[in-house]
């Protein structure tokens, strides 16, 4: 099978994910997983107070971890904007509390899935923000008791839990076909990369008159969360300039 992206006349019964979602989700996931692995390696080399494994003492590992964290921070805002707007139905809704009480029914599981998706976005926001608040010289100097370092350690533990729950709930509500649909490189005609430029220009030209209207349609929890996430990501770039 060719490794190139290709048009796919998908079967109606098969789950299909928008191509742009798969790309943003894929790159975000790739950088996050790489950051998690290198985060543990960094902890193992410079800390290890709560247990360690015999990994090579690669002194450059903190810089490598920071690079993957930076890549995640660069891609994540695009993924977050997509999730809060084009993908808002995959996140928590106004009545999610009531629906969580129906876990014995499909709607309950779908609601829990949406809650976990939302928590994963918040966890990643916490991870990249706390990472930007750290000083790259703390660990090499043996300064292990800074509050932002502890916050960053906790954030990656939370992120691992969220990823595990995200995969479990995806398997619960959609099974293996849903998981595989996120890895597929095939797309429908409307998702063709050749149309991206045209679609982006159309979206941009209509952004100002339609943005407020579209934003008002979001549920109250999503409005609050989007503001919080975007402000946190902006602060992650600005605050370190004044440290």
């Amino acid at each position: 099978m060719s490794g190139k992206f290709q048009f796919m006349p998908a079967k109606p019964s098969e789950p299909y994910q928008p191509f742009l979602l798969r790309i943003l989700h894929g790159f975000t996931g790739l950088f996050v997983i790489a950051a998690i692995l290198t985060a543990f390696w960094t902890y193992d080399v410079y800390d290890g107070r709560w247990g360690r494994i015999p990994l090579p003492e690669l002194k450059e590992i903190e810089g490598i971890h920071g690079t993957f964290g930076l890549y995640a921070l660069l891609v994540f805002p695009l993924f977050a904007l997509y999730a809060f707007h084009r993908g808002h139905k995959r996140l928590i809704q106004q009545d999610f509390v009531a629906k969580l009480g129906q876990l014995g029914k499909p709607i309950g599981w779908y609601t829990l899935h949406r809650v976990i998706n939302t928590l994963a976005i918040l966890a990643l926001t916490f991870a990249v923000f706390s990472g930007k608040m750290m000083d790259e010289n703390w660990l090499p100097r043996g300064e292990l008791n800074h509050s932002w370092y502890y916050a960053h350690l906790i954030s990656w533990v939370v992120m691992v839990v969220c990823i595990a729950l995200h995969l479990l709930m995806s398997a619960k509500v959609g099974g293996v076909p849903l998981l595989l649909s996120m890895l597929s490189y095939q797309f429908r005609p409307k998702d063709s990369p050749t149309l991206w430029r045209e679609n982006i220009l159309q979206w941009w030209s209509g952004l100002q008159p339609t943005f407020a209207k579209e934003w008002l349609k979001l549920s109250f929890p999503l409005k609050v969360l989007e503001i919080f996430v975007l402000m946190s990501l902006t602060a992650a770039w600005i605050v370190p300039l004044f440290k």
Side-chain angles (χ1 to χ4, degrees):
M1 180 180 295
S2 172
K4 298 180 179 179
F5 296 122
Q6 58 181 298
F7 163 71
M8 174 191 65
K11 298 178 181 178
S13 60
E14 294 180 349
Y16 180 78
Q17 309 299 330
F19 193 40
L20 183 57
L21 169 63
R22 279 178 276 156
I23 289 178
L24 293 174
H25 183 277
F27 276 110
T28 301
L30 177 65
F31 295 142
V32 167
I33 291 173
I36 289 173
L37 294 176
T38 52
F40 181 81
W41 197 340
T42 301
Y43 157 81
D44 195 75
V45 169
Y46 289 105
D47 194 342
R49 285 172 289 177
W50 298 281
R52 66 197 324 162
I53 59 178
L55 292 173
E57 292 193 11
L58 182 63
K59 298 301 181 182
E60 297 83 5
I61 191 61
E62 184 184 16
I64 296 172
H65 167 67
T67 299
F68 285 122
L70 177 61
Y71 289 163
L73 180 57
L74 290 171
V75 176
F76 180 49
L78 299 176
F79 176 69
L81 284 172
Y82 185 99
F84 282 116
H85 292 276
R86 293 289 298 275
H88 67 92
K89 292 183 179 179
R90 294 177 171 87
L91 302 177
I92 61 171
Q93 305 299 308
Q94 188 76 36
D95 56 351
F96 76 97
V97 175
K99 289 181 178 178
L100 278 177
Q102 305 179 52
L103 281 182
K105 301 177 181 178
I107 187 59
W109 292 115
Y110 280 113
T111 301
L112 182 58
H113 188 209
R114 293 177 182 128
V115 170
I116 291 171
N117 290 344
T118 307
L119 290 177
I121 289 177
L122 290 175
L124 183 51
T125 302
F126 180 36
V128 295
F129 180 80
S130 60
K132 289 289 285 184
M133 295 303 104
M134 288 181 57
D135 187 315
E136 62 183 8
N137 295 313
W138 287 349
L139 299 187
R141 290 198 300 249
E143 300 177 15
L144 305 178
N145 293 315
H146 290 279
S147 58
W148 280 119
Y149 173 57
Y150 285 123
H152 197 52
L153 285 177
I154 293 171
S155 73
W156 287 115
V157 173
V158 173
M159 194 71 241
V160 169
V161 173
C162 285
I163 291 175
L165 291 176
H166 174 65
L167 292 173
L168 286 173
M169 288 309 306
S170 296
K172 174 66 178 179
V173 302
V176 174
L178 178 60
L179 295 175
L180 293 179
S181 69
M182 292 302 299
L183 301 176
S184 174
Y185 55 82
Q186 298 172 318
F187 55 85
R188 293 174 179 172
K190 65 177 182 179
D191 280 341
S192 173
T194 60
L195 300 177
W196 286 1
R197 182 177 181 276
E198 178 183 348
N199 292 336
I200 290 173
L201 290 175
Q202 290 179 353
W203 173 78
W204 181 255
S205 64
L207 178 62
Q208 293 182 346
T210 62
F211 181 78
K213 184 183 297 185
E214 290 183 356
W215 192 78
L216 289 173
K217 291 180 181 179
L218 295 178
S219 66
F220 178 74
L222 286 185
K223 291 176 184 176
V224 174
L225 289 173
E226 181 177 16
I227 292 173
F228 172 77
V229 168
L230 295 181
M231 288 183 64
S232 298
L233 295 177
T234 302
W237 288 106
I238 296 176
V239 173
L241 298 177
F242 298 94
K243 290 196 301 183

